[in-house]
Amino acid sequence: MNKLMRIAVDGPSGAGKSTIAKAVAKRLGIDYIDTGAMYRAIGYKMSVEGIDAGDTERLESMLKDTDIDFVRGDIILDGRVVSDVIRTPEMSRAASVCSALPAVRAKLVEIQRGMGAKKSVIMDGRDIGSNVLKDAEYKFFLTASPEERAQRRYEELVGKGEDVTFEQVLADIKERDHRDTTRKLNPLIKTEDAVEIDSTGLSIDEVTEKMIKEIR
Ligand code: DC
């Protein structure tokens, strides 16, 4: 059997991680795993079931009863496709909040490690190179200025018919950056062995090409 290739892509919200990771996965013929979508799915389930972040007992019992998987690019929560309902500003916030909870991280990191142990993958998130796949063969840290990231998110949301302003999206991005980089448990950091790519002003193709070049 060929050796597994694991590629970790970390970086702040809206840096283009998922778009780039998907493109690289396609080029290399490996699986793409969106760990942010997993935190969003848990945030979604907590909000549907009305579980408070402080209610550890209900949270832990819910997590025991939760099944998360990816099928052909869709995220499946307890047998139901939730790919679209988790992509709202409200769910971005819910995901950011629940991702600071130890019980949530423990559950999702275990599933993510299992996924990376069986096959070659490119996985994106915040703690992939620093925690989930510490021994990944390739690590990237993808950044872009807050304004450029907010502009991309804004266009995406407006395209989906969401009623938002650029200022709201920028404020949201800055708030999430703060929460994701300052939380105690596995905050977003660039590891020493990660290759940093600043995607400000670059096209999707240019960033994809840079990554593929590093890998080859
Ligand atoms: O990448 P995203 O915006 O879909 O991620 C949603 C939230 O989940 C984000 O606020 C950070 C958190 N997250 C995390 O803490 N660890 C990961 N590996 C992935 C996402």
Side-chain angles (χ1 to χ4, degrees):
M1 206 178 105
N2 284 339
K3 210 177 157 295
L4 292 183
M5 170 167 59
R6 271 93 34 89
I7 307 170
V9 182
D10 291 299
S13 303
K17 298 185 297 294
S18 61
T19 308
I20 302 300
K22 242 182 251 170
V24 171
K26 204 168 167 195
R27 286 273 294 273
L28 300 178
I30 62 177
D31 277 14
Y32 162 57
I33 295 164
D34 177 353
T35 65
M38 299 168 83
Y39 288 95
R40 284 168 183 271
I42 296 295
Y44 172 74
K45 188 164 177 182
M46 282 173 72
S47 91
V48 168
E49 298 197 352
I51 299 176
D52 205 76
D55 191 345
T56 314
E57 206 170 303
R58 273 191 78 200
L59 177 67
E60 285 183 354
S61 115
M62 178 272 269
L63 289 170
K64 256 190 222 130
D65 253 350
T66 298
D67 207 44
I68 294 186
D69 204 358
F70 289 94
V71 176
R72 283 182 293 277
D74 272 315
I75 178 152
I76 317 289
L77 172 69
D78 301 327
R80 185 185 147 213
V81 177
V82 291
S83 312
D84 292 334
V85 290
I86 59 168
R87 301 277 160 211
T88 64
E90 197 190 337
M91 287 309 124
S92 296
R93 233 164 291 129
S96 181
V97 171
C98 87
S99 69
L101 304 173
V104 173
R105 297 206 77 83
K107 161 102 182 179
L108 295 187
V109 168
E110 189 190 333
I111 299 176
Q112 291 155 8
R113 288 198 176 129
M115 291 172 166
K118 286 184 292 211
K119 53 194 178 184
S120 291
V121 294
I122 178 163
M123 198 178 279
D124 79 352
R126 304 294 187 290
D127 63 335
I128 310 306
S130 63
N131 177 42
V132 179
L133 303 177
K134 257 192 207 145
D135 55 354
E137 283 72 22
Y138 301 96
K139 296 183 186 178
F140 294 96
F141 195 79
L142 194 60
T143 60
S145 69
E147 289 70 23
E148 171 135 350
R149 291 187 280 124
Q151 185 62 34
R152 292 175 189 166
R153 240 325 111 88
Y154 173 71
E155 283 167 17
E156 188 188 323
L157 290 170
V158 167
K160 281 196 295 194
E162 295 276 348
D163 183 21
V164 288
T165 65
F166 173 77
E167 286 69 29
Q168 275 168 351
V169 178
L170 180 61
D172 248 30
I173 287 246
K174 287 185 173 169
E175 187 193 323
R176 281 214 284 155
D177 280 359
H178 181 73
R179 205 164 28 225
D180 294 343
T181 52
T182 58
R183 68 162 178 249
K184 281 206 191 87
L185 204 57
N186 303 122
L188 170 67
I189 48 157
K190 178 193 168 303
T191 58
E192 262 177 35
D193 54 355
V195 174
E196 180 162 351
I197 301 177
D198 184 342
S199 71
T200 311
L202 297 181
S203 70
I204 294 168
D205 283 350
E206 285 168 325
V207 181
T208 306
E209 216 39 64
K210 265 181 190 268
M211 247 184 223
I212 296 277
K213 235 185 225 155
E214 282 291 334
I215 295 163
R216 298 221 162 109

